[in-house]
């Protein structure tokens, strides 16, 4: 929350205060002060930004590819590069000659804010290229394979499949209906369908192998999927959590709790990429289980219904600011669904 502070402090100040208050009342003053210090440290980090010269030659790697643009990392700074119908692939190493400028996208009322989307990913500048020299061409043609896969569906179905599986936007009746409830983003960010898929695979593999090896085999299948959708964070998060839980269960003899494993993996990701804290896939993927856990700990009453309904209501009101931030609207039915 602290790392996201610069992006939307007016929203994040509320959940920071709520969480620290819960910790102060239900745990200890020392832990609450520690969490406050961590939040302030994260807020300080949010103001740090790498900057390269405005004009010259930039050598770096392509780390995300779309049909008409790609994202490029050169010496720690991230750039948006427009290239219509490009054939770039994840992992390409390029030498680009050109100049950088601030992102200059205009946003119409009720339209998708592409500039804000890029800012959340740590991209604040675009490169205008006069020459692109390929130093290394990736042998994994994942972007091409994804386009061939979606070509097997109708336009409407392909839009929905792409939105959920690959986190790509699209237009269509089914996509618009689900997007209206904020479900496509939630399903995509939370990775619920991946957990279901792993559970089904593990169930059938248990007929052939022990629980230990069937779980590991399920992880291997999920890892193959990750290769095709990389750098899709929600899938990467699930793979890392699944592997840590496997080690904790079978190697470390359940030394860590599930809450500790979530915390360790989340902090590890933030150390590698602080800008993840600005993205809904990180917020939903980590804060949902954490807030639900803390809410259940704060309830002293017994009863399964009470322990489920009240934490759910707490989570709903806790995430209202994020719903406004990421979707620019509130849909009460989204929490029920």
């Amino acid at each position: 929350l602290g790392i996201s502070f610069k992006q939307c402090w007016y929203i994040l100040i509320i959940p920071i205060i709520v969480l620290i208050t819960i910790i102060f009342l239900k745990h200890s003053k020392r832990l609450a002060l520690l969490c406050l210090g961590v939040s302030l440290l994260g807020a300080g980090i949010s103001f740090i930004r790498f900057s390269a010269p405005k004009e010259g030659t930039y050598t770096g790697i392509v780390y995300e590819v779309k049909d008409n643009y790609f994202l490029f990392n050169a010496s720690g700074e991230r750039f948006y590069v427009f290239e219509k119908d490009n054939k770039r692939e994840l992992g390409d190493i390029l030498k680009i000659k050109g100049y950088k400028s601030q992102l200059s996208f205009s946003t119409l009322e009720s339209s998708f804010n592409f500039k804000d989307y890029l800012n959340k990913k740590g991209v604040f500048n675009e490169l205008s290229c006069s020459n692109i020299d390929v130093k290394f061409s990736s042998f994994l043609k994942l972007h091409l394979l994804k386009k061939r896969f979606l070509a097997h569906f109708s336009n409407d179905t392909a839009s929905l499949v792409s939105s959920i599986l690959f986190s790509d936007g699209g237009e269509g009746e089914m996509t618009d209906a689900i997007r209206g409830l904020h479900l496509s983003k939630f399903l995509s960010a939370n990775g619920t369908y991946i957990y279901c898929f792993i559970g089904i695979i593990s169930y059938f593999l248990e007929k052939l192998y022990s629980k230990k090896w069937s779980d590991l085999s399920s992880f291997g299948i999920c890892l193959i999927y990750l290769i095709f959708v990389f750098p899709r964070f929600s899938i990467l998060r699930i793979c890392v959590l699944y592997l840590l839980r496997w080690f904790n269960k079978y190697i470390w003899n359940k030394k860590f709790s599930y809450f500790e494993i979530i915390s360790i993996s989340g902090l590890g990701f933030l150390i590698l990429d602080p800008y993840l804290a600005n993205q809904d896939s990180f917020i939903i993927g980590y804060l949902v289980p954490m807030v639900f856990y803390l809410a259940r700990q704060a309830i002293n009453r017994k009863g399964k219904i009470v322990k489920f309904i009240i934490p759910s209501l707490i989570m709903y009101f806790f995430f209202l600011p994020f719903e406004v931030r990421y979707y620019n609207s509130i849909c009460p039915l989204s929490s029920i669904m």
Side-chain angles (χ1 to χ4, degrees), residues 77-80 100-103 123-127:
E77 186 171 7
R78 305 173 183 189
F79 297 99
Y80 163 89
K100 75 172 185 178
S101 58
Q102 291 186 346
L103 297 173
V123 181
F124 301 96
N125 296 293
E126 57 183 294
L127 277 181

Side-chain angles (χ1 to χ4, degrees), residues 77-332:
E77 186 171 7
R78 305 173 183 189
F79 297 99
Y80 163 89
V81 182
F82 174 79
E83 189 177 31
K84 193 172 179 61
D85 298 324
N86 73 83
K87 300 297 188 294
R88 308 298 174 190
E89 290 290 346
L90 182 72
D92 285 354
I93 297 177
L94 309 177
K95 187 175 182 180
I96 299 177
K97 185 177 181 181
Y99 65 92
K100 75 172 185 178
S101 58
Q102 291 186 346
L103 297 173
S104 57
F105 300 103
S106 58
T107 304
L108 300 177
E109 185 177 357
S110 300
S111 296
F112 175 67
N113 192 334
F114 187 56
K115 181 180 179 180
D116 182 65
Y117 166 80
L118 292 175
N119 287 165
K120 289 176 184 175
K121 290 177 171 285
V123 181
F124 301 96
N125 296 293
E126 57 183 294
L127 277 181
S128 299
C129 310
S130 58
N131 183 62
I132 300 179
D133 184 19
V134 179
K135 292 297 182 181
F136 172 80
S137 181
S138 176
F139 60 90
L140 292 174
K141 306 299 181 182
L142 301 180
H143 186 59
L144 179 61
L145 290 174
K146 184 182 75 173
K147 293 178 71 174
R148 289 178 177 175
F149 170 74
L150 293 175
H152 291 86
F153 301 94
S154 65
N155 291 336
D156 193 24
T157 306
S159 175
L160 178 61
V161 171
S162 182
S163 177
I164 294 178
L165 293 184
F166 306 115
S167 291
D168 289 339
E171 299 299 332
E173 293 181 4
M174 293 173 61
T175 308
D176 292 340
I178 293 180
R179 186 183 295 151
L181 291 173
H182 305 163
L183 291 181
S184 63
K185 270 287 187 181
F186 181 83
L187 289 171
S188 175
N190 194 38
T192 304
Y193 66 98
I194 297 298
Y195 283 115
C196 294
F197 175 74
I198 291 177
I200 293 172
I201 295 297
S202 182
Y203 172 79
F204 284 107
L205 289 177
E206 281 183 40
K207 308 293 183 182
L208 303 174
Y209 308 103
S210 64
K211 177 66 174 175
K212 177 180 179 180
W213 296 109
S214 64
D215 286 346
L216 189 61
S217 300
S218 301
F219 166 76
I221 295 174
C222 185
L223 194 61
I224 294 173
Y225 176 53
L226 172 65
I227 294 174
F228 285 93
V229 298
F230 191 84
R232 172 82 180 283
F233 175 72
S234 58
I235 310 302
L236 180 61
R237 172 182 58 82
I238 290 173
C239 285
V240 170
L241 279 176
Y242 199 88
L243 185 61
L244 287 175
R245 291 175 67 184
W246 188 90
F247 271 98
N248 187 52
K249 183 177 181 180
Y250 298 108
I251 307 298
W252 300 329
N253 297 319
K254 298 182 179 180
K255 182 178 180 180
F256 303 100
S257 68
Y258 179 61
F259 187 78
E260 289 172 327
I261 289 176
I262 291 178
S263 302
I264 291 169
S265 64
L267 289 172
F269 278 122
L270 288 179
I271 290 172
L272 295 174
D273 184 5
Y275 290 108
L276 283 173
N278 299 328
Q279 300 173 31
D280 54 353
S281 57
F282 187 92
I283 295 292
I284 294 174
Y286 279 103
L287 280 188
V288 165
M290 285 184 166
V291 172
F292 191 78
Y293 174 86
L294 291 173
R296 293 194 67 178
Q297 293 296 311
I299 296 174
N300 297 321
R301 295 185 181 180
K302 295 182 179 180
K304 293 183 179 179
I305 297 178
V306 174
K307 284 191 174 182
F308 177 79
I309 292 178
I310 295 181
S312 298
L313 289 174
I314 292 174
M315 279 206 306
Y316 174 71
F317 288 108
F318 182 86
F319 280 96
L320 275 179
F322 294 99
E323 193 170 15
V324 174
R325 168 64 178 168
Y326 291 119
Y327 307 111
N328 298 316
S329 63
I330 296 176
C331 180

